[in-house]
Amino acid sequence: MKIIVCIKQVPDTQKVKVDDKTGVLIRDGIDTKMNPFDLYALETAMKIKEQINAEITVITMGPPSAKEVIKEAYALGADSGYLLTDRKFAGADVLATSFTLAQGITAIGGYDLIICGKQTTDGDTAQVGPAIAEHLAIPHVSWVVKIKDVCDKSITFMEDMLDDIAIAKMNYPCLITVDKDVFQPRLPSYRLKQQAETKTINILTLEDLAQKDSEHYGLSGSPTQVEKIFEPTSEHEVERFEQDDKNNAKLLYQKLKELKYVKELS
Amino acid sequence: MNYKMIDQNDIDYFASIVPADDLQAFSAVHDDYTHDEMTEYGRFAPEVVIKATDTQQISKIMAYCYKHDIPVTPRGSGTGLCGGCVALNKGVVLSLEKMNKIIEIDKENLVAVCEPGVLLMELAAEAASAGFLYAPDPGEKSATIGGNVMTNAGGMRAVRYGVTRDYVRGMEIVLANGEIIELGGKIAKNSSGYSLKDLMIGSEGTLGIITKVYLKLLAKPMKMISLLIPFNDLRSCLQLVPKIMALPNQPTTLEFCEKEVILDASKYLNKQFPSKDYAAYLIVSYSGNTKEDIEKMYQDTANLCLDKDAIDVYISDTDERQESIWNARGAFLEAIKSSTTTMDECDVVVDIDKIYPFLSYVKDLADQYQVRIRNFGHAGDGNLHCYVCKDDIADDAWPQIVNTCMQKMYDKAKELNGLTSGEHGIGHAKKRYLSEALGETQIELMKRIKSAFDPRNILNPGKII
């Protein structure tokens, strides 16, 4: 079977500064890494490959420097990788990003299963995965927390519905987004990293895609306009309980109840 | 020595020095103050617990106790592993937990000045937020700085940066008779007579009470990358340690662990480790300012390991990956503890080319006495932690088994020219083994030093010697 894993290069820090004047993220000098949720997606693919015969292809969209994230995927065991890169893809929102990725996936073709991470740590929308499936008109399920069974026709998994867990089976072709802890991601292998240096990274530009009208891509294909980006403020409140153990425990319990961290069973 | 039993007059005197909230007497003494992390070594209740808040209070308390022959046991956060902070002879436990102020981060001289009750994690965070590194990195982050100094605590970064001793520039000490002295200071060098400061370090509160400490800071490297290197057997894993240490780039940490301990930690934390299929692992870390610099630093190690018997070399280069390794590594002790009913530990240090011979002997011991012994440790400096676990061994059979195993391990360390403790100290639990390791002459010298500082033997009596 053929598995496509969508990956994204994100800043390797939670503390990206925002340029006060332009409102743009300052990415210069900041290390990048693979979106942590995508590591779970790739690990899920690797675990499936350990069970049945599978070929793993990763796809990402980004500037030419996003080749690094494909190399990292190779060091984690991916078989082939595609980078969607074109100046016309720049400035894409959820709609344009998912459309571009869907076009790229169609260009690669022949897939059975697409796996995405639940969300990225920079965009945080958790919508790109499902949107890709909608563009491709294939079934999809989000927030998969456990793979129950996998064969060459279908996949069975557990989906976190917050209050409930659903177990579902989907026939290929289909798309899932996985939550963290579905599997513990492996670490990149130094052996594979060395091989990755000479391994081909396939480049896809607008020319290679079926839909060639640039109005669908990048800023022009994005109905969402970002008005302002700003750093969130965080507030820490400290409350000290300084009575005896018994009363401290009581006060702590009251506080946790008040903040709805604990619920009394009725 | 006969110490004075504490009576109401003594309590009244203490109450005139510290507020009622900072004084616990007799039945009001909280159980926490009767033991350290190793309850296996017994509970010893002091007659009084005093939580001091400044040097003058301590000076007055010491002068009084000196005059009245009342033993005083100083205590930080009680995270020791050898019974160093328990009141063997009753008397006063002098808790320094409330002296927890970081007085200054001196950015010009790269020195932190703090009170002894500051927690290691607090100092590390404060230094980091000013752009500096407090380099010693003992596993127990909730230990106090005072406790770290008094046990000369080591930790995982000792391979590159050294131990607590290497970072202590000076200190304020209250002597047994209440006199206050300053040893060293912020100054970087000191050839001015005997180094009393260095005698204090590692003295476990038997020579004086530390009330202020000056600690060296370093410029903080921006990044650390770790390699997790799996092997099919412990011998191939450990034989690479001296070779890695001889490479031009010094690792920041060089730890070893075995599969069983990783599984214990995964179970304890309910978190998966990134790899757990192989018998033994090295964790080697390098620090630098850019990812590219560090990649160059670790190449030689990675290539050497692949040339020898390593299965692969896994790279941990993001916060999430580092957490998945180091959270587990940090929980090894607690994980082993929670996996058994009771246990005893040894913290020997041997030459780095003797780690395998020592551990191989420990494995034979475990087989011979049918007891589970878990090991891990700081391979880069030969400091090993071995835990003899009781599990379901019968209560009456246990003392004989554990004492024999401990004795044999310490004997073996001595035979290999190793020593009793690498970083945990001696306390009262390891006294016998220290005296066997050092011999009469050295112990006698130590006793004379002790009596020079504390002629009435009121400072933490019954510890070390």
Side-chain angles (χ1 to χ4, degrees):
Chain A
M1 71 181 286
K2 186 164 176 176
I3 304 172
I4 293 184
V5 180
C6 299
I7 59 176
K8 185 182 184 190
Q9 190 177 46
V10 296
D12 183 12
T13 173
Q14 298 289 324
K15 296 176 196 134
V16 181
K17 292 267 178 275
V18 179
D19 187 315
D20 287 340
K21 285 180 190 149
T22 61
V24 172
L25 300 180
I26 305 167
R27 293 177 189 260
D28 293 348
I30 290 180
D31 281 341
T32 57
K33 65 180 178 185
M34 191 185 296
N35 172 40
F37 283 94
D38 301 345
L39 293 169
Y40 296 104
L42 187 51
E43 187 62 33
T44 305
M46 295 295 296
K47 283 286 188 304
I48 292 172
K49 191 181 173 176
E50 283 169 13
Q51 276 186 44
I52 60 174
N53 187 24
E55 186 200 326
I56 300 170
T57 299
V58 293
I59 183 167
T60 190
M61 181 173 102
S65 58
K67 276 183 183 171
E68 289 305 313
V69 77
I70 306 241
K71 284 189 192 168
E72 179 167 352
Y74 287 163
L76 288 162
D79 299 301
S80 60
Y82 287 80
L83 168 63
L84 278 158
T85 187
D86 199 306
R87 292 183 75 90
K88 297 201 171 63
F89 298 160
D93 68 357
V94 169
L95 184 70
T97 303
S98 56
F99 181 78
T100 314
L101 284 164
Q103 286 285 312
I105 289 168
T106 306
I108 299 166
Y111 60 86
D112 298 293
L113 174 64
I114 301 170
I115 310 177
C116 301
K118 176 177 144 184
Q119 67 199 77
T120 56
T121 51
D122 57 352
D124 256 345
T125 67
Q127 294 168 12
V128 170
I132 292 170
E134 288 297 322
H135 290 301
L136 295 171
I138 57 170
H140 57 90
V141 165
S142 303
W143 299 9
V144 168
V145 289
K146 193 172 181 179
I147 305 296
K148 299 277 287 179
D149 189 32
V150 62
C151 68
D152 57 359
K153 297 274 185 300
S154 66
I155 182 163
T156 310
F157 47 78
M158 280 164 64
E159 177 195 8
D160 181 4
M161 315 270 284
L162 297 181
D163 286 333
D164 304 286
I165 296 278
I167 297 179
K169 180 176 169 182
M170 262 198 303
N171 288 335
Y172 307 135
C174 63
L175 180 147
I176 58 172
T177 76
V178 295
D179 209 338
K180 69 185 173 71
D181 295 334
V182 61
F183 291 108
Q184 172 65 40
R186 69 196 58 204
L187 300 174
S189 144
Y190 182 73
R191 248 187 235 283
L192 294 175
K193 183 177 151 77
Q194 281 176 309
Q195 292 166 15
E197 289 304 319
T198 53
K199 200 165 167 167
T200 310
I201 293 171
N202 304 289
I203 306 289
L204 296 173
T205 64
L206 183 57
E207 285 302 298
D208 303 302
L209 306 182
Q211 175 55 267
K212 300 206 184 326
D213 181 355
S214 63
E215 287 303 301
H216 287 88
Y217 300 95
L219 210 51
S220 17
S222 299
T224 321
Q225 302 297 323
V226 178
E227 281 206 358
K228 192 183 173 193
I229 296 178
F230 56 93
E231 286 179 65
T233 51
S234 66
E235 283 174 19
H236 297 279
E237 269 181 45
V238 177
E239 192 173 332
R240 282 178 185 278
F241 304 123
E242 291 181 348
Q243 303 188 16
D244 60 36
D245 290 355
K246 212 171 171 181
N247 281 319
N248 283 343
K250 211 177 271 175
L251 289 168
L252 180 62
Y253 178 76
Q254 286 303 333
K255 191 74 198 174
L256 290 173
K257 210 169 100 180
E258 190 186 310
L259 296 170
K260 298 194 166 56
Y261 284 106
V262 292
K263 195 159 81 176
E264 267 173 16
L265 293 175
S266 49
Chain B
M1 167 128 193
N2 285 326
Y3 294 109
K4 178 184 182 300
M5 302 277 284
I6 290 182
D7 57 30
Q8 195 53 48
N9 287 337
D10 304 320
I11 306 281
D12 290 345
Y13 179 75
F14 297 139
S16 74
I17 296 176
V18 298
D21 281 356
D22 294 338
L23 188 62
Q24 298 173 5
F26 306 118
S27 60
V29 167
H30 197 285
D31 176 65
D32 285 354
Y33 296 95
T34 67
H35 61 87
D36 64 3
E37 287 282 304
M38 291 293 280
T39 45
E40 286 77 3
Y41 301 143
R43 282 179 152 77
F44 302 88
E47 292 157 299
V48 173
V49 173
I50 302 173
K51 298 180 188 177
T53 50
D54 68 51
T55 306
Q56 291 306 324
Q57 285 179 349
I58 295 176
S59 171
K60 285 179 195 156
I61 292 162
M62 288 314 301
Y64 183 87
C65 291
Y66 188 76
K67 195 172 153 197
H68 294 92
D69 287 326
I70 297 170
V72 178
T73 304
R75 179 183 175 101
S77 49
T79 56
L81 296 167
C82 309
C85 65
V86 298
L88 288 184
N89 297 280
K90 300 191 186 298
V92 174
V93 157
L94 183 61
S95 170
L96 300 162
E97 67 198 287
K98 285 192 147 182
M99 291 181 67
N100 59 357
K101 282 188 272 310
I102 297 173
I103 299 163
E104 183 190 4
I105 300 283
D106 179 343
K107 295 180 181 180
E108 302 289 318
N109 294 299
L110 272 70
V111 171
V113 186
C114 64
E115 292 184 333
V118 170
L119 303 185
L120 173 60
M121 58 185 164
E122 295 169 341
L123 177 65
E126 187 75 14
S129 70
F132 298 115
L133 175 75
Y134 176 62
D137 185 32
E140 179 54 71
K141 308 293 184 234
S142 61
T144 62
I145 288 298
N148 274 196
V149 172
M150 281 295 161
T151 51
N152 188 23
M156 303 195 233
R157 293 197 289 242
V159 173
R160 173 160 172 186
Y161 294 116
V163 295
T164 302
R165 179 183 302 282
D166 303 309
Y167 293 83
V168 180
R169 288 268 176 89
M171 56 181 74
E172 179 187 76
I173 291 285
V174 176
L175 294 171
N177 63 4
E179 210 176 315
I180 302 165
I181 57 169
E182 285 262 341
L183 303 174
K186 288 182 180 176
I187 44 169
K189 292 172 81 175
N190 189 349
S191 293
S192 320
Y194 296 149
S195 176
L196 300 181
K197 172 202 77 167
D198 280 292
L199 270 178
M200 283 293 163
I201 299 166
S203 68
E204 302 187 32
T206 60
L207 303 182
I209 312 274
I210 187 166
T211 47
K212 187 161 75 178
V213 59
Y214 300 86
L215 298 161
K216 177 170 82 170
L217 301 174
L218 302 178
K220 191 176 178 346
M222 302 298 284
K223 240 183 135 45
M224 184 167 97
I225 294 180
S226 303
L227 305 176
L228 177 69
I229 312 174
F231 295 85
N232 273 330
D233 65 282
L234 189 62
R235 181 201 291 263
S236 351
C237 167
L238 292 173
Q239 76 182 10
L240 282 177
V241 171
K243 295 186 172 67
I244 293 171
M245 290 301 290
L247 291 171
N249 288 306
Q250 186 79 353
T252 301
T253 74
L254 207 183
E255 300 285 304
F256 87 93
C257 59
E258 292 178 278
K259 184 180 183 172
E260 293 76 15
V261 179
I262 290 174
L263 295 177
D264 285 343
S266 290
K267 192 173 164 198
Y268 176 73
L269 294 172
N270 195 21
K271 288 258 179 215
Q272 293 299 313
F273 197 70
S275 170
K276 55 179 190 317
D277 297 332
Y278 302 99
Y281 293 84
L282 289 179
I283 311 173
V284 195
S285 308
Y286 291 88
S287 311
N289 287 327
T290 67
K291 201 169 173 174
E292 292 70 29
D293 286 352
I294 306 173
E295 281 176 350
K296 279 185 203 135
M297 290 170 86
Y298 73 61
Q299 259 174 14
D300 288 347
T301 296
N303 291 329
L304 170 78
C305 291
L306 288 182
D307 280 351
K308 299 291 179 185
D309 300 305
I311 308 293
D312 200 338
V313 173
Y314 301 128
I315 305 159
S316 169
D317 56 356
T318 62
D319 291 347
E320 296 81 19
R321 288 172 174 149
Q322 291 289 50
E323 273 171 28
S324 70
I325 293 178
W326 290 104
N327 286 355
R329 169 62 189 85
F332 281 174
L333 166 60
E334 290 301 324
I336 295 170
K337 215 172 170 184
S338 80
S339 76
T340 187
T341 44
T342 186
M343 64 178 198
D344 200 351
E345 71 132 25
C346 93
D347 156 53
V348 293
V349 55
V350 296
D351 292 340
I352 55 174
D353 64 343
K354 299 290 187 301
I355 302 174
Y356 183 72
F358 182 81
L359 288 177
S360 164
Y361 177 81
V362 170
K363 285 185 185 304
D364 290 345
L365 263 186
D367 287 344
Q368 190 185 341
Y369 290 90
Q370 293 292 299
V371 61
R372 189 167 65 102
I373 306 182
R374 288 278 194 259
N375 314 296
F376 64 90
H378 313 303
D381 49 36
N383 185 193
L384 311 173
H385 300 320
C386 305
Y387 299 85
V388 183
C389 302
K390 179 171 179 282
D391 296 344
D392 50 9
I393 294 173
D395 289 351
D396 53 351
W398 171 243
Q400 166 91 33
I401 292 175
V402 68
N403 290 333
T404 310
C405 288
M406 295 310 282
Q407 183 70 53
K408 283 179 180 283
M409 286 196 282
Y410 285 112
D411 289 349
K412 186 68 184 177
K414 190 180 180 199
E415 181 196 318
L416 296 169
N417 297 319
L419 266 178
T420 317
S421 170
E423 58 184 17
H424 293 169
I426 302 300
H428 69 93
K430 305 296 175 186
K431 255 171 77 171
R432 180 159 60 94
Y433 306 117
L434 180 74
S435 124
E436 286 169 8
L438 298 185
E440 222 171 279
T441 309
Q442 286 192 51
I443 294 291
E444 185 51 36
L445 279 169
M446 286 188 185
K447 282 183 176 161
R448 281 193 242 161
I449 291 168
K450 164 76 173 160
S451 72
F453 278 91
D454 180 21
R456 305 194 69 82
N457 195 27
I458 61 160
L459 275 169
N460 207 3
K463 308 297 165 61
I464 306 182
I465 44 171

